[in-house]
Amino acid sequence: MGLVGIALLFFLIVGVPIGIAFGLAALLGGNVAQIPLETFASVANQAVNSFPLLAIPLFILAGQIMSQGKIVKQLIDLSEMLLGKVRGSLGYVTVLASAFLGAITGSSVATVSAIGSTVGEKMVEKGYKRGYVASLIAGAGLLGVLIPPSIPLILYGATVGVSVSDLFLASMIPGIIMVLIFLITHRLMLNRVLGEPLGNGETEAEAATKIRSKRKTFLGSIPALFMPVIILGGIYSGLFTPTEAAAVACLYGLIIALVARSLKFPDLSRVFFISAVSSAAILSIIAFSNMFNFMITLEQIPQTIAEYAISITDNKYIFIILVTIILFIVGMFMETNAAVLLMGVLLAPAAIQFGINPIHFGIILVTNIEIGLLTPPMAANIYVSAKVNKSSLIEMLPFVFWFLGGAVILLYIIVFVPSLTTWFL
């Protein structure tokens, strides 16, 4: 495992924050190997001085503009209007809105927070059990990672050396399948979780039309509907790169919010501050993890893992199954972005040795680790959703496993049907 790996494990066990643990383990290994400190400063700087990684703070900013500018609410109002006569429509709206927001922010936790604060209480008023509402929003938040653009996919691409645009293309079909799985899960759960409305007995269609007319709702949401079209259409048409798409999304969202007066100039300081803090946290982890990756490469740990994996089995599917088990455990205990940075470097070389396409492996890795957002002790989606929706973990437990099971089913569909992720190659 090497001194660096042992040091990292020790720091994580004693509760050192993940980014600092990466840095301390690297510096300890570098001290033993007598590597000058300025080398690590250069390595960390090179990690974040990257044009592809610039997409991360820009997509975070775009998500904050969407949320604070009430653009998400416009989209939810439109979805509710269109599905108002369908039984359980708010649940379907939640899944679809999460997918839509995931196509803008690239962040799971941000999706959970935005959707929960917008539609969560409304679902409870319509008779849904509070624990189910929190579980549905936590599960649908996974779409924030899988639906392109995706921050973890950007990290994997930058770390392993794979085209980010190709990774976005590869995640599209799995993302659509996850949407369908969650919609089906919601339909199967309806009779168990939907009781009598807590309000005045209005139907969802009546409530939607009472808020605003159908015409006003539709016209007001048109600019927001173009956001993912501009982002994804621009990337896949070759008009601009993912990083440039993120910049365009920020500018476009800002113009929409300011013109509609849903966001005022004094509010911008808060939007930029929240985005800067979130971006700084992620980029710090990237910088420190790159120092760690530098050291484990010197110790040839990835190559050792590849050789060891080949010595155990020569069947790539057995290898992938073992990897999914390992990643599932890692996702339970490590923050998503940090886990992608670490495990991508460690396992991608072994996957390539088994003839697994690095793009296919990237989707497997990110999907596997994002499941950790629903599995304690980390389970960031569960904790955020519980807080935003005023639910307890006990209330959520009977329902969250349904969405966890759906995500696991998708994972193994991706594993055994690689053409879902490599169809464009």
Side-chain angles (χ1 to χ4, degrees):
M1 186 175 183
L3 173 63
V4 179
I6 294 172
L8 176 65
L9 184 61
F10 170 77
F11 289 133
L12 292 177
I13 290 175
V14 298
V16 177
I18 184 66
I20 297 175
F22 277 137
L24 289 176
L27 291 174
L28 179 61
N31 183 59
V32 173
Q34 297 183 334
I35 298 174
L37 286 177
E38 54 265 28
T39 300
F40 289 102
S42 175
V43 168
N45 179 66
Q46 289 174 6
V48 294
N49 188 19
S50 165
F51 183 72
L53 290 182
L54 184 59
I56 293 175
L58 290 173
F59 277 127
I60 290 175
L61 177 59
Q64 280 297 318
I65 292 172
M66 289 283 291
S67 179
Q68 300 293 331
K70 300 179 181 179
I71 299 173
V72 175
K73 184 178 183 302
Q74 294 176 354
L75 298 171
I76 290 175
D77 288 345
L78 175 65
S79 301
E80 189 179 353
M81 181 192 77
L82 296 174
L83 297 173
K85 294 182 180 180
V86 178
R87 183 170 182 265
S89 61
L90 275 178
Y92 301 124
V93 167
T94 297
V95 175
L96 296 175
S98 296
F100 189 94
L101 195 57
I104 297 169
T105 66
S107 168
S108 183
V109 173
T111 299
V112 170
S113 179
I115 298 299
S117 60
T118 306
V119 78
E121 198 60 37
K122 188 182 294 187
M123 288 188 69
V124 174
E125 291 173 0
K126 294 300 178 183
Y128 290 90
K129 294 181 180 180
R130 188 174 293 274
Y132 176 74
V133 172
S135 298
L136 172 64
I137 292 173
L142 298 184
L143 294 165
V145 171
L146 197 55
I147 296 286
S150 163
I151 290 175
L153 286 178
I154 294 172
L155 295 177
Y156 175 85
T159 304
V160 178
V162 176
S163 165
V164 174
S165 296
D166 285 349
L167 288 168
F168 286 176
L169 272 175
S171 67
M172 288 187 68
I173 294 179
I176 292 170
I177 294 174
M178 181 175 274
V179 170
L180 295 175
I181 287 175
F182 286 163
L183 290 175
I184 292 170
T185 301
H186 173 63
R187 176 65 186 87
L188 294 175
M189 296 290 288
L190 266 182
N191 292 334
R192 295 178 54 186
V193 302
L194 183 57
E196 292 297 321
L198 301 181
N200 57 11
E202 292 179 322
T203 65
E204 293 177 18
E206 291 171 340
T209 53
K210 184 178 180 180
I211 295 173
R212 58 187 59 171
S213 69
K214 290 185 177 182
R215 179 180 175 83
K216 184 178 180 181
T217 299
F218 177 73
L219 292 177
S221 62
I222 287 177
L225 289 172
F226 276 101
M227 177 81 89
V229 175
I230 291 173
I231 295 174
L232 299 179
I235 293 173
Y236 300 136
S237 67
L239 187 61
F240 36 67
T241 67
T243 301
E244 292 165 344
V248 171
C250 290
L251 181 61
Y252 182 74
L254 193 59
I255 292 173
I256 292 175
L258 291 176
V259 170
R261 297 183 180 179
S262 57
L263 193 64
K264 300 179 181 178
F265 279 104
D267 301 326
L268 293 181
S269 59
R270 172 177 168 80
V271 170
F272 281 100
F273 177 77
I274 294 174
S275 302
V277 170
S278 300
S279 301
I282 294 175
L283 291 173
S284 296
I285 293 175
I286 294 171
F288 288 128
S289 70
N290 203 55
M291 292 165 52
F292 179 82
N293 294 342
F294 171 73
M295 283 306 304
I296 64 174
T297 301
L298 285 181
E299 294 187 356
Q300 295 191 324
I301 293 177
Q303 295 90 329
T304 302
I305 291 175
E307 292 171 1
Y308 180 70
I310 293 173
S311 70
I312 293 177
T313 178
D314 58 359
N315 187 304
K316 71 175 184 179
Y317 290 107
I318 294 177
F319 166 75
I320 292 180
I321 291 173
L322 291 174
V323 165
T324 58
I325 295 171
I326 293 170
L327 292 176
F328 185 85
I329 296 171
V330 168
M332 292 174 62
F333 294 96
M334 188 176 287
E335 190 271 335
T336 301
N337 295 320
V340 169
L341 287 166
L342 174 62
M343 303 311 293
V345 171
L346 288 176
L347 297 176
I352 293 171
Q353 289 280 346
F354 277 93
I356 300 170
N357 188 295
I359 293 175
H360 179 212
F361 185 73
I363 305 303
I364 292 173
L365 184 143
V366 169
T367 303
N368 207 151
I369 289 177
E370 76 163 337
I371 291 174
L373 294 167
L374 295 180
T375 53
M378 284 298 290
N381 278 18
I382 290 180
Y383 301 139
V384 171
S385 186
K387 181 178 180 180
V388 172
N389 295 288
K390 301 181 178 65
S391 175
S392 69
L393 298 181
I394 299 299
E395 288 178 307
M396 294 176 67
L397 279 179
F399 309 110
V400 75
F401 289 108
W402 287 86
F403 298 100
L404 177 61
V408 172
I409 290 172
L410 172 65
L411 171 64
Y412 283 100
I413 291 175
I414 295 171
V415 166
F416 292 108
V417 190
S419 58
L420 291 177
T421 59
T422 57
W423 54 272
F424 59 93
L425 297 176

